[in-house]
Amino acid sequence: MTDPRVNDYIDALPEWQQDICRRVRALVHEADPEIEETIKFTNRPYFVLQGNVCALLATKDHVNVFLYDGAIVPDPHGIITAGHDNKTGRMISIYRDDPINAPALVELLRHIIANNRAGGWRKIKQGAGKAERGAGKVKKAASG
């Protein structure tokens, strides 16, 4: 579902940034047609489905696509450009005339959406931490 306020945000940008934002927006909806758009923090376009999926932020010389993945979604194609050690999300910076690796971006978005549907990255990380702690207890018991 599209939000006219996102149109307003994109329409106010220089043409090259509009092109990037429209392409990313289309890929977000390709990843899952149930994605909803909204505006958060006064004017930032967010794409949500059972939690934040991603957001757009145009800067002077590029567009940032913020990925709300808890830094747990694999990036085998190396398209994530920053935030590798961030605990809540990472980003892809797209500069003028940069190609967008559409299949890789859609794959990342689908993984984030699947995680959201499974309770979100915080729940998944919490479950992984419990499993690791449990495995440590099993090792201690086996060696003791």
Side-chain angles (χ1 to χ4, degrees), residues 12-34:
L13 299 172
E15 187 174 334
W16 69 270
Q17 287 183 321
Q18 289 180 31
D19 293 343
I20 292 170
C21 288
R22 287 185 181 121
R23 180 74 176 124
V24 170
R25 184 187 205 183
L27 293 170
V28 170
H29 288 286
E30 179 183 324
D32 194 306
E34 293 182 23

Side-chain angles (χ1 to χ4, degrees), residues 13 21 34 41 54-55 66 74 85 102 104 120-121 124 130 132 138:
L13 299 172
C21 288
E34 293 182 23
F41 305 106
C54 66
F66 292 98
D85 296 325
W121 62 263
I124 292 168
K130 286 179 182 177
E132 287 173 13
V138 170

Side-chain angles (χ1 to χ4, degrees), residues 35-90:
I35 286 277
E36 294 183 11
E37 299 179 358
T38 190
I39 295 289
K40 295 185 181 187
F41 305 106
T42 307
N43 69 347
R44 187 172 304 160
Y46 269 72
F47 301 88
V48 298
L49 182 59
Q50 297 181 8
N52 292 333
V53 175
C54 66
L56 296 174
L57 177 63
T59 69
K60 183 178 179 179
D61 65 348
H62 65 281
V63 173
N64 284 321
V65 181
F66 292 98
L67 303 169
Y68 293 93
D69 70 338
I72 63 172
V73 173
D75 180 23
H77 305 284
I79 65 171
I80 294 174
T81 57
H84 298 283
D85 296 325
N86 191 306
K87 293 183 180 177
T88 58
R90 298 176 286 176

